[in-house]
Amino acid sequence: VQRQHRELVGVLVWFQLLCVPVVAGVLGATHAEIEHHLEMGRKLLAAGQLAEALSHYHSAVDGDSKNYLTFYKRAAVFLAMGRSKSALPDLSRAIQLKPDFLAARLQRGNILLKQGLTQEARDDFQAVLQRSPDHEEAREQLVRATELEELQEEAHATYHRGDYSTTVNVLERVIEISPWDPESRELRADCYIRMGDPRKAIQDLTPTTRLRNDNRAAFLKLGRLHYDLGEHHESLSHVRECLRLDQDDKECFSLYKQVKKLSKQLDSAEELIQEERYQDAIDKYESATKTEPSVQFYTNLATERICFCLVKLKRVVEAIDTCSEAHQRDPHNANILRDRAEAYILNQDYEKAVEDYQEAREFNSDSIEIKEGLERAQKLLKISRKRDYYKILGVSRVANKQEIIKAYRKLAQQWHPDNFQVESEKKEAEKKFIEIASAKEVLTNPELREKFDAGEDPLDPENQQGGGGGHQGWPFHFDPFGSGGSFHFKFEHN
């Protein structure tokens, strides 16, 4: 027993010797060192350098854990940084070290009131008034605490009666007094959801994720709200935060899988559009509607983008049908009207194209693309009333060169002037023959066709330098049948 006692004493002595340098290094700071940290903290706080000030107050607290003022000053830095939850323990420690420290009592009461903890706040304000009955701020805050408690009771009563509008009005004053109270914001968010205003619900729920240490419920609700609004990236971000707090949360994981799958499909579809792989993009959007058939936003989005892709693919009839369906789903969407206008242009229905572009401008007057599209549609309409080369040959705006030449040859043979003997008929045939020839020349020349598709008639004398009338403005030599033809027209430059 004696031997064991001596060994224990030896261990304790060794432990004390080992710990002395550590204690002296951490807690054994001199009074001058502590004062230096406090002074530096004060200067940095005054200069607005909060993080640096906090570091010095940490050192001061570590050097002297019995100084109530040091804890109070560090709490002031936390409050300046907006970290009220971190300030509370320091204020409580300052009060513990000096129970009659009224400034700390008042400050803690103010924080508790802002957190919606009326009873705890009232206790602090009453403690201040017991020692200083004439303390004006403490008396005013005590009144506010009583008012807050009454308002909280009223809000819950109206909520349970289903009077959500009144509840929102009451909670506006509640949150004004206690902006750091997550429960009041969550209750108001629920009212907004029931009133069909998810945007305002999101505004209330977002700060509650910081006001509670583990607010998975808020992250999950935010994820669902953003998802239903079509904001899948924001939804995914909130659901990931929920899983970061607890990777085994079943509700969050279930939503995460759904959002991740849909988000990947939508992002992939847009990437395919950027790569001009329009059919693949259509397939991807159709898959997305199967992944999420219930949320209207995603169905509308898919229909809109498929409309766009069909126009790019020049599948005119399908494009007009799909764009019209998209327009019914979302009548104020300028992009859909723009795309349908382009489909109408491909279908040579210029009046409808102009109408759609005009309506699109009403919804998006700042769009340069829509402004230019309207101008082009108006030019095409004007030209079509004079001379439409596509209609002259009887081909669509998406016809290729072979189709154009085939149509031209058929019409040229039909309207060749040699086929007509009567002078008046021959002159009419010559006029028609020239129209057919000019249509062929414009539509088989990529540069001229591009100008015509942009709303400019490259053979219109008004567009030729030097003016002039008749057919002398047509800048080409033309043989209607190639070699072997018996009838030749020669068109000269001005």
Side-chain angles (χ1 to χ4, degrees), residues 38 41-42 45 50 53-61 67-95 101 103-111 180:
L38 290 173
R42 184 190 66 78
L45 179 59
L50 303 181
L54 184 61
S55 177
H56 281 284
Y57 282 120
H58 282 325
S59 298
V61 168
N67 188 332
Y68 70 94
L69 277 176
T70 306
F71 284 100
Y72 181 73
K73 290 175 181 178
R74 187 169 71 174
V77 180
F78 279 131
L79 287 172
M81 297 174 76
R83 296 167 58 182
S84 59
K85 286 190 290 186
S86 299
L88 271 179
D90 275 356
L91 291 171
S92 295
R93 179 59 176 157
I95 293 167
F101 189 16
R105 284 270 187 190
L106 185 65
Q107 191 65 270
R108 187 175 71 174
N110 289 337
I111 293 173
W180 302 338

Side-chain angles (χ1 to χ4, degrees), residues 72-340:
Y72 181 73
K73 290 175 181 178
R74 187 169 71 174
V77 180
F78 279 131
L79 287 172
M81 297 174 76
R83 296 167 58 182
S84 59
K85 286 190 290 186
S86 299
L88 271 179
D90 275 356
L91 291 171
S92 295
R93 179 59 176 157
I95 293 167
Q96 183 183 13
L97 291 169
K98 187 174 175 55
D100 62 347
F101 189 16
L102 300 188
R105 284 270 187 190
L106 185 65
Q107 191 65 270
R108 187 175 71 174
N110 289 337
I111 293 173
L112 292 170
L113 183 64
K114 288 183 177 181
Q115 291 181 340
L117 302 173
T118 53
Q119 185 56 55
E120 293 89 334
R122 182 184 286 107
D123 290 344
D124 273 339
F125 297 139
Q126 287 174 339
V128 172
L129 290 170
Q130 283 176 357
R131 294 182 179 272
S132 180
D134 297 327
H135 199 294
E136 186 175 348
E137 184 180 353
R139 190 172 300 281
E140 289 176 354
Q141 291 297 79
L142 186 60
V143 171
R144 285 165 68 88
T146 302
E147 179 190 359
L148 177 60
E149 198 166 50
E150 293 172 352
L151 288 168
Q152 288 171 334
E153 291 176 0
E154 182 183 354
H156 282 90
T158 54
Y159 174 82
H160 288 301
R161 289 201 304 268
D163 188 353
Y164 305 118
S165 179
T166 301
T167 306
V168 165
N169 292 333
V170 174
L171 286 172
E172 185 174 349
R173 175 58 179 161
V174 169
I175 293 170
E176 183 183 330
I177 298 173
S178 55
W180 302 338
D181 175 19
E183 183 179 336
S184 297
R185 291 185 180 273
E186 287 163 354
L187 184 62
R188 190 167 69 173
D190 190 65
C191 290
Y192 282 134
I193 291 171
R194 293 173 184 272
M195 293 165 67
D197 196 341
R199 290 285 177 201
K200 288 185 177 178
I202 289 172
Q203 290 175 4
D204 266 338
L205 281 173
T206 301
T208 69
T209 60
R210 300 186 299 273
L211 294 172
R212 292 192 191 276
N213 292 328
D214 179 358
N215 202 348
R216 280 173 288 156
F219 279 121
L220 179 62
K221 192 169 285 187
L222 282 167
R224 285 176 174 155
L225 287 170
H226 280 294
Y227 181 76
D228 289 346
L229 287 170
E231 297 163 353
H232 51 96
H233 290 133
E234 291 85 347
S235 174
L236 198 57
S237 175
H238 286 298
V239 178
R240 280 176 174 153
E241 284 297 316
C242 180
L243 290 174
R244 189 178 63 82
L245 292 169
D246 182 0
Q247 62 182 1
D248 296 323
D249 190 298
K250 291 182 179 179
E251 285 188 281
C252 285
F253 186 67
S254 176
L255 181 59
Y256 171 75
K257 289 193 297 182
Q258 175 78 2
V259 180
K260 185 179 180 183
K261 181 179 179 181
L262 180 66
S263 186
K264 186 176 180 181
Q265 289 174 324
L266 296 176
D267 290 344
S268 176
E270 285 303 308
E271 288 172 8
L272 290 167
I273 288 176
Q274 294 301 315
E275 296 168 8
E276 299 184 359
R277 295 166 58 187
Y278 299 116
Q279 184 55 56
D280 291 336
I282 290 172
D283 295 340
K284 191 64 70 173
Y285 270 116
E286 288 176 346
S287 297
T289 59
K290 293 175 183 176
T291 299
E292 182 46 80
S294 304
V295 179
Q296 185 179 5
F297 175 89
Y298 299 110
T299 306
N300 291 357
L301 174 65
T303 309
E304 174 192 341
R305 299 307 279 160
I306 290 171
C307 150
F308 173 83
C309 292
L310 288 170
V311 173
K312 290 295 184 181
L313 291 169
K314 298 185 177 180
R315 285 153 58 179
V316 180
V317 176
E318 291 178 78
I320 291 174
D321 289 344
T322 304
C323 293
S324 296
E325 180 189 344
H327 179 56
Q328 284 183 333
R329 290 177 171 275
D330 191 358
H332 299 155
N333 190 319
N335 292 334
I336 295 171
L337 288 162
R338 173 205 65 197
D339 294 337
R340 190 171 69 172

Side-chain angles (χ1 to χ4, degrees), residues 5-34:
H5 177 71
R6 284 196 301 273
E7 288 176 351
L8 179 60
V9 170
V11 169
L12 291 172
V13 170
W14 171 81
F15 182 79
Q16 288 174 340
L17 290 172
L18 184 66
C19 290
V20 164
V22 177
V23 172
V26 176
L27 300 177
T30 65
H31 178 74
E33 289 172 336
I34 294 170

Side-chain angles (χ1 to χ4, degrees), residues 326-379:
H327 179 56
Q328 284 183 333
R329 290 177 171 275
D330 191 358
H332 299 155
N333 190 319
N335 292 334
I336 295 171
L337 288 162
R338 173 205 65 197
D339 294 337
R340 190 171 69 172
E342 288 300 312
Y344 280 138
I345 287 174
L346 291 173
N347 203 43
Q348 302 178 54
D349 196 341
Y350 306 118
E351 288 187 5
K352 288 185 177 178
V354 169
E355 289 174 4
D356 270 0
Y357 264 125
Q358 286 174 334
E359 190 175 352
R361 282 204 73 182
E362 292 177 11
F363 300 128
N364 188 355
S365 59
D366 297 328
S367 171
I368 295 174
E369 183 183 13
I370 290 173
K371 178 178 178 291
E372 291 176 348
L374 174 59
E375 291 172 353
R376 180 165 49 86
Q378 288 170 332
K379 286 180 182 178

